[in-house]
Amino acid sequence: MKTFRDPVHNIVSIDKESEKVLLDLIDTKEFQRLRHIRQLGLSSFTYPGAEHTRFIHSLGVVHLTKRFIDKISTLKNINQRYIDELHNNRMLALVAALLHDIGHGPFSHALEKTTKIKHESWTIEIITGDTEVKAILEAHKSGFSGEVAEVIRRTHQSKAIVKLLSSQLDTDRIDYLIRDSKFTGAGYGAFDLEWLINCLRIGEVNGDTEFGLDLNKGLSIAEDFVMARYYMYVNVYFHRATRSAELIIDKIFQRAIELKNLGKIGLPEDLAEIINKSSTSETLANYLSLSESTIWHYIVLWSKHEDNIISDLCTRLLDRRLFKEIQIEGNLIDFTEKVINSLKEHGLPREYYLLADEATSSSYKDHYITQKPKSEGNENEREASEQIFLFDKNGDGIELSNKSKIINQIRNEGIKINRMFIPEQIRRLF
């Protein structure tokens, strides 16, 4: 038995014989790369402890997936087909759990804006392309890499396996909420994991398989879980300092590309290849060579560049002199014009020094959206379900907001925070 010590789950165990494929995948260069990709990107600017990686999160998701499957297997008075489906696809579920984040890159979302390629696309390319990961998957079973990709795309025929990894009550979300809460030191994401697993149920709703919680025992923990996610978004993921840092690094990339096109700066070679070719299959090796250390190296170099804009932005990021949020007073148009004029007087172009931010997510969606195509345009890839169901003793599922006054109050109320950021020296003028 191979064991990993984890601050969240304590012991994460993987059997060296029956689960050897997991250990082989962990040892691939593609998975080891996740040791150098932080789970929360630039959140350490706000919460210094947020240094945990996609590597340990992925192991945590495997651990929770095992616990979910084992719990369902012990339940009585449920349809045997659910137990059989989970048993027959157990290794598929564990591998998908391990690899679900393997396509994340440095400063994930800022890099996605720059390359115009989503991390999900890289994940599929790593699983199905010319990689050590695919070779191991195919050695395990012919066609296995395609099956794993289908689970991550949410198109696999086993809805139970898909929902384990992609739903409102999935192992990915549960792990990152608890883990991010622990490492940031923010208690908002904490909830009773053991009781949630104890109350775990499975059933059919509207002809589709859903993981849910026991109606009599699970209402409170369901409420706690949804509210934990809500508060983590408001207080951690959308924290003003983190958002400011993310906006600055986005502008750094934007300026670097402008200067590159003018022949005045050099981009990291691998990043330049990705931007030029815009193809996951042609540039996978380049993508896998990128790390946060590589990007930070160039940010240090650019901080000394003769271009005042990129040198200033990079220096601000290195020294944590972030842009500050400014409270809008009076008419938005008139106020914005005053800010723009102040920036102009100080020789600061508005494009780089007036940063508008709209942080949006949804804490809870009442309607069932599993069959809604993803906005990226891939009609074969589906959105994760955003509902939680409570199952009664007859196996009938009741949507959470129909039983909870708390959740009913926030149903369909997305989190939307509009902010305006400017340099501190300009904000002092207002």
Side-chain angles (χ1 to χ4, degrees), residues 97-160:
L98 182 71
L99 301 180
H100 78 283
D101 267 356
I102 199 168
H104 273 281
F107 312 119
S108 183
H109 301 297
L111 190 67
E112 287 176 0
K113 289 182 181 179
T114 302
T115 63
K116 306 295 190 297
I117 302 174
K118 298 289 187 180
H119 70 267
E120 294 92 344
S121 297
W122 291 112
T123 294
I124 299 303
E125 187 63 38
I126 292 169
I127 291 171
T128 62
D130 183 16
T131 61
E132 292 180 11
V133 165
K134 182 184 178 180
I136 289 169
L137 294 175
E138 291 302 306
H140 175 73
K141 186 175 70 172
S142 178
F144 196 47
S145 61
E147 279 196 75
V148 175
E150 286 180 349
V151 173
I152 293 174
R153 286 192 180 108
R154 309 179 186 99
T155 59
H156 194 274
Q157 62 181 0
S158 173
K159 297 303 181 185

Side-chain angles (χ1 to χ4, degrees), residues 243-256:
R243 298 294 288 191
S244 177
E246 290 172 348
L247 289 168
I248 289 175
I249 203 165
D250 182 42
K251 290 299 180 181
I252 288 172
F253 281 131
Q254 180 181 329
R255 185 60 176 174

Side-chain angles (χ1 to χ4, degrees), residues 354-370:
L354 175 59
L355 308 182
D357 181 42
E358 181 179 283
T360 59
S361 182
S362 174
S363 58
Y364 193 82
K365 293 181 183 177
D366 184 51
H367 41 274
Y368 186 70
I369 62 169
T370 301

Side-chain angles (χ1 to χ4, degrees), residues 256-322:
I257 291 173
E258 286 185 1
L259 294 173
K260 174 194 174 288
N261 293 336
L262 294 173
K264 295 182 178 181
I265 205 170
L267 295 179
E269 184 177 341
D270 292 308
L271 179 59
E273 280 292 296
I274 294 168
I275 294 172
N276 290 337
K277 294 181 178 178
S278 190
S279 167
T280 56
S281 60
E282 293 183 50
T283 61
L284 180 57
N286 301 109
Y287 185 75
L288 293 173
S289 296
L290 286 176
S291 69
E292 292 182 2
S293 298
T294 303
I295 303 300
W296 279 116
H297 170 70
Y298 273 83
I299 288 174
V300 171
L301 293 180
W302 294 339
S303 70
K304 304 169 186 177
H305 197 274
E306 61 182 14
D307 179 77
N308 292 332
I309 294 175
I310 198 167
S311 64
D312 179 57
L313 293 175
C314 290
T315 300
R316 286 177 181 274
L317 194 65
L318 290 168
D319 297 345
R320 202 191 177 280
R321 289 188 294 108
L322 307 177

